[in-house]
Amino acid sequence: TPVLDFILVSGFIFASRNPADKPPADVAAIMKDSSKYTSMQLTDTAINFGTKKMGYVVNITFLCTNTGNKSLYLYDVHPSCGCTLVDYSKAPIEPGSQGKIDAQFDTKKSHPGEVHKTVFVRSNSNSGSRYLTFTGTILPSDSSATAKQ
């Protein structure tokens, strides 16, 4: 049932989160003080990586710019499933500077067809939590169709 699927997926996301992703104490304090919030502009919030054959690893980079006047902190950045790994700028992103969120999607851990993946990002930006998405098409590895590598 859809409700059971949602509960299972939610539980998996929660269980797969790394406790080390908890914000440091100073970032936790910043998150409680809205006067320390800043603004962030994302270059893209949705990226289509095109068509790839099963077995290919897709690397996606989301760029963000601190458009405010206080340091920007990214934390609690995690993917929606186990087929994606994420890394992100962990040092403070100073005003006017750019940070990034890298996602590495392993098609071997997915399925052929259309895919829609999400990366959840928390920060001290005025916009709060953000969802970044990437989509594409995975062809079976034995497909004679041409993938755009």
Side-chain angles (χ1 to χ4, degrees):
T1 68
V3 172
L4 182 59
D5 290 344
F6 175 76
I7 292 169
L8 290 173
V9 169
S10 298
F12 176 76
I13 290 170
F14 181 77
S16 67
R17 290 174 54 199
N18 182 353
D21 284 343
K22 282 182 66 176
D26 55 334
V27 174
I30 288 169
M31 295 308 297
K32 292 179 183 176
D33 182 358
S34 62
S35 71
K36 303 214 189 261
Y37 284 17
T38 191
S39 54
M40 170 177 67
Q41 180 177 7
L42 289 154
T43 304
D44 289 301
T45 57
I47 295 175
N48 183 315
F49 62 78
T51 302
K52 306 290 182 194
K53 279 197 175 183
M54 182 73 73
Y56 190 77
V57 174
V58 180
N59 294 297
I60 298 106
T61 298
F62 296 94
L63 299 175
C64 63
T65 302
N66 181 347
T67 56
N69 58 9
K70 296 179 178 74
S71 296
L72 173 66
Y73 296 89
L74 304 178
Y75 73 98
D76 193 18
V77 177
H78 59 272
S80 60
C81 70
C83 58
T84 304
L85 300 174
V86 294
D87 193 20
Y88 59 96
S89 301
K90 294 174 183 72
I93 302 165
E94 298 306 322
S97 295
Q98 200 169 60
K100 65 180 182 170
I101 299 137
D102 292 316
Q104 186 178 62
F105 170 56
D106 186 350
T107 61
K108 290 182 289 192
K109 296 180 180 179
S110 188
H111 56 81
E114 295 291 318
V115 293
H116 303 274
K117 303 297 178 181
T118 304
V119 176
F120 176 77
V121 179
R122 289 186 68 192
S123 71
N124 67 318
S125 70
N126 295 321
S127 58
S129 300
R130 302 293 300 265
Y131 290 93
L132 308 175
T133 60
F134 60 93
T135 59
T137 303
I138 306 301
L139 299 175
S141 57
D142 59 356
S143 171
S144 61
T146 304
K148 297 171 187 140
Q149 305 282 344

